[in-house]
Amino acid sequence: MAEALEEANSGLSRTLKDLFAGAVGGVAQVLIGQPFDIVKVRLQTTTQYKGALDGATQILKNEGAAAFYKGTLTPLIGIGACVSVQFGAFNYARRAFEARNASHLSPLSAPKPLTYTQYYAAGAFAGVANTLLSSPIEHIRIRLQTQPHGAGRLYAGPLDCIRQLSRSPNIPLGLYRGTAVTLLREAQAYGFWFLTFEYLMQSDVARNKISRKEVPTWKIAFYGGLAGEALWISSYPFDVVKSKMQTDGLKAGEQRYKSMRDAFVQTYKQEGLGGFWRGIGPTLLRALPVSAGTFATVELVMRMIT
């Protein structure tokens, strides 16, 4: 009884540490990546810019430097929660796989590491768990990022945006519009994100015969940056369709896309395969520092609190 209670407390402690480290990493992610994200969303949802540099230049010229942090409050709170859930869910699934692998071994056998398929599955689980939060948070952020500047603003702020989306016509069809494609993107993206990072970290540990805690911070950041590239390359078409659906008209007569499938079909018919990769340049540019900062922050926080 005492052993079971101690094990439960230990598991809860590990989970809380995972959630805290993820939340700190999420704040770093938003502060680093928000300007890149504004340009990415604009490129995905409009054709008024020639490219990423032109988009950034026009935003700066027409809306000012503060425009690069439009809608930051929502992701600052929300993405902190999302990254917290991502790392908490990933480590929960990882420990479950470790326990399953251990159950098939004899008591004297060395612990069996996770397979790369299991790492992908644990990451995909983290993405699925994250979708309930990330879908409305990203919808709100995209609406705020793409609304007209100045007197033509559609939303007074995040709370007004939530209120309007929840009434258009209801929470599932308004606030949670685009959730199906978000689920597909999250599972694929975070499966590859965690898989890539863990593969690089474990390869380094094995190659240099050191413990994970001995991997230097610059390497953690570098591996995290590469993981960010893998995340977007593996999932970007889903993200394009998500952005199109979440900037579409809210009322039935104003909606351009009837469903996720319709959005994929229309994008292909009108823009070809290239339409699914529009805006990939600034996205990959953003992914390096953002993902590097996230993993480096999380790993450093975990080292301090464990």
Side-chain angles (χ1 to χ4, degrees), residues 176-212:
Y176 274 87
R177 178 168 171 77
T179 295
V181 72
T182 301
L183 180 68
L184 294 176
R185 186 201 68 172
E186 298 287 83
Q188 175 78 337
Y190 291 106
F192 274 96
W193 196 47
F194 283 108
L195 168 62
T196 303
F197 181 73
E198 290 298 329
Y199 170 78
L200 293 169
M201 286 287 285
Q202 290 181 31
S203 296
D204 191 297
V205 167
R207 184 171 58 251
N208 295 300
K209 296 180 173 59
I210 57 176
S211 70
R212 187 180 180 108

Side-chain angles (χ1 to χ4, degrees), residues 20 26 80 96 138 183 185 219 235 252 259 283:
F20 175 72
E138 292 200 16
L183 180 68
R185 186 201 68 172
K219 281 190 175 182
S235 64
S259 63
T283 301

